[in-house]
Amino acid sequence: MTGQRAALPTHRALPTAEELRLRTDHYVGGRWLVASQRFEVRSPIKWSHVLATVVRGDAATVDAAVAAARAAFPDWSRRTPDERGKHLDRLADLIEAEVERIALVECVDVGMLYRSMRERLVYRAAMNYRFYAQVARQLEEPVWSTNGLWTRVVRQPAGPAAIIIPWNAPFMLATWKTAAALAAGCTVVLKPPEWAPLSCCVLAELVEAAGFPPGVFNIVHGYGDEAGAALVAHPGIRRISFTGSTETGRLIGAQAGRNLVPYTAELGGKSPFIVFADTDLDAAARMAANQYDDAGQICFAGTRLLVEEPIAELFLERFYQAVARHVLGDPRVPETTIAPLIHPEHLARVEGFVERAVRDGARILLGGRRAVEVGDLWYEPTLVAPRHNEQEIVQSEVFGPVLTFQVFRTEHEAIELANSTAYGLAAVVYTSSAERADRVARQLRAGTVWVNTWAARDLQAPFGGIGASGLGREGGQWGIDFHSDLKAIQWREECPR
Ligand code: NAD
């Protein structure tokens, strides 16, 4: 069985570097740092099209950025949350004033759908700054007394923070992660992803326009094993906040351990999508088909479909119908729902997973090939029935439009299968029973469990993974706490005011 998907060929001209009007230099200490070493940034919509060349930072650039962040730290950290919050709110205003430009840049650089960027995600990015400004303003310092010993807990901004982000949703992640650090009173050095650095170039311009004191917000472009590695190893860094692959997360974790620097890691996922027989099957099937959004390049996508046996055939039928509504095409076109993969290397990697699965006895139920009629980097929404649960295709993150399909007979078996990988980022449960939802959710090994929904985010909730999906939590107060040193001030009896 295969879905019938309309394919929209790409023929519209892509914007040139001049049309994008990007400043592609480092932003350090409130100034633009030009360098002769540069790397090319190509568009996944048409790989031969070079969108820009961006400066390539090295250890010396990182030194300069950390020095600027250290110099700016005493003043920034001493400001009140409200003073810092005004800068964050201003940055949010500027982001909202540039919605179209940011949406277009992210669309042609990453392949994210223009429509969702324009209508939702850029606003959410602005909200990240407003939200964290407000969290910091409202935080209280707990005070209590035990047997006449008083304790007050104060949060002290930790110092310069290294922020490293991946190529999927870079604008969202850059704003989310820097917002928490800046609101907490830390200064930041952001290292954007080399495969998709352009929306962070726009961010640098907006940071400059927002009037942050020089050195509070620094951006160093470059490769992970060069600028990234130098940044996380730098002795002037007091916090490392990383989002990316599990493999890189381990490398950075080792470095953070050597320097004894607190580290949060938001890493890969292989999240289960569990469908019980008592659920609204159409809703479940439609949401399951949404796991192909952004060509499956979403860390918390529910990529392992686990369906209760009596409804398995019916579910597949509805799922295929829902997948058939997907439209592969140019992400600038409003009808498109599935865009290209980010990079030829990544496409080859995704393809490799599927080929090895088939060689190892898995069956392709849907897709399983490149969509060459659309363009070079499109891959068909693919569904694989594994031969057994230990296969690589079930156990490893593919990070493409590839889901697996497995059947379970009991609630216990569903939970066992769901918890059987090294990852633990998210899980999705479809059931009409509130008791079952609660019982199952509590037993799932995941930082987030969505019941009868997916990808809904409340910024106040903690977000993060278990096991190979990461360390620590972002979101709400947890984000501020991570960037703070907590100090207990204790005294006897009378409280010194
Ligand atoms: P990646 O680990 O290859 O790169 C991420 C970032 O780390 C890039 O900026 C890169 O330059 C940098 N980097 C690479 N090596 C480094 C090193 N040695 N030292 C310091 N920095 C280094 O990941 P990717 O391919 O860009 O992103 C995809 C991955 O990110 C997927 O695994 C996905 O699940 C994960 N992800 C997780 C979340 C989450 O919230 N858990 C969100 C988005 C993406």
Side-chain angles (χ1 to χ4, degrees), residues 142-409:
V143 185
W144 69 90
S145 152
T146 308
N147 299 330
L149 178 70
W150 286 86
T151 300
R152 169 176 286 138
V153 180
V154 296
R155 288 181 190 80
Q156 297 200 308
I163 312 264
I164 302 197
I165 56 165
W167 49 260
N168 74 313
F171 197 72
M172 165 66 61
L173 291 168
T175 52
W176 175 238
K177 292 172 89 70
T178 56
L182 293 166
C186 293
T187 51
V188 302
V189 180
L190 168 69
K191 210 293 284 169
E194 57 270 47
W195 279 4
L198 299 186
S199 59
C200 287
C201 296
V202 184
L203 185 61
E205 287 176 29
L206 302 181
V207 167
E208 182 181 44
F212 280 86
V216 167
F217 196 141
N218 307 280
I219 300 183
V220 172
H221 291 282
Y223 294 134
D225 57 5
E226 190 174 30
L231 180 57
V232 297
H234 201 288
I237 288 297
R238 294 287 174 269
R239 288 292 185 273
I240 300 170
S241 173
F242 171 71
T243 299
S245 65
T246 301
E247 198 187 355
T248 308
R250 287 202 168 96
L251 283 176
I252 298 179
Q255 182 58 59
R258 279 194 286 280
N259 290 8
L260 286 181
V261 173
Y263 166 55
T264 51
E266 301 289 344
L267 308 178
K270 191 76 184 175
S271 302
F273 189 111
I274 308 170
V275 184
F276 285 101
D278 63 7
T279 197
D280 173 345
L281 208 54
D282 281 324
R286 274 199 307 275
M287 196 59 99
N290 289 351
Q291 308 309 303
Y292 294 124
D293 287 0
D294 285 337
Q297 302 169 129
I298 300 180
C299 56
F300 51 68
T303 49
R304 290 182 293 137
L305 305 184
L306 305 176
V307 182
E308 197 166 1
E309 192 176 40
I311 54 150
E313 284 308 311
L314 203 54
F315 171 85
L316 274 183
E317 212 174 275
R318 308 279 168 88
F319 174 74
Y320 293 144
Q321 285 165 8
V323 177
R325 285 193 281 271
H326 271 304
V327 178
L328 282 75
D330 186 327
R332 292 170 295 171
V333 175
E335 293 79 28
T336 297
T337 62
I338 297 189
L341 296 170
I342 179 86
H343 194 286
E345 269 175 37
H346 188 55
L347 173 61
R349 189 175 169 274
V350 167
E351 219 169 23
F353 274 108
V354 176
E355 283 168 9
R356 287 191 296 279
V358 171
R359 273 206 301 278
D360 191 25
R363 281 183 306 124
I364 302 286
L365 301 180
L366 192 67
R369 63 172 197 90
R370 293 182 185 211
V372 282
E373 66 282 14
V374 190
D376 290 343
L377 297 184
W378 276 259
Y379 197 79
E380 292 258 355
T382 295
L383 187 65
V384 178
R387 190 163 59 83
H388 58 80
N389 193 53
E390 301 315 310
Q391 276 193 281
E392 179 197 48
I393 197 76
V394 184
Q395 295 293 326
S396 302
E397 182 185 53
V398 176
F399 217 52
V402 178
L403 310 183
T404 57
F405 178 78
Q406 292 169 281
V407 170
F408 65 85
R409 280 153 214 89

Side-chain angles (χ1 to χ4, degrees), residues 7-88:
L8 298 173
T10 56
H11 43 71
R12 282 169 54 189
L14 284 155
T16 60
E18 291 70 39
E19 284 161 349
L20 288 173
R21 296 179 288 117
L22 291 169
R23 192 100 201 233
T24 51
D25 303 317
H26 308 295
Y27 184 69
V28 168
R31 304 154 84 122
W32 297 92
L33 214 65
V34 185
S36 54
Q37 289 268 67
R38 302 181 85 84
F39 61 94
E40 279 184 350
V41 180
R42 291 166 184 267
S43 176
I45 300 172
K46 189 166 178 237
W47 194 246
S48 56
H49 185 89
V50 176
L51 291 165
T53 62
V54 172
V55 276
R56 174 177 160 185
D58 56 14
T61 328
V62 167
D63 262 346
V66 177
R70 282 173 65 107
F73 178 70
D75 170 60
W76 183 249
S77 60
R78 275 197 291 268
R79 295 189 184 204
T80 64
D82 189 52
E83 285 168 337
R84 292 195 288 260
K86 286 192 173 105
H87 285 281
L88 299 187

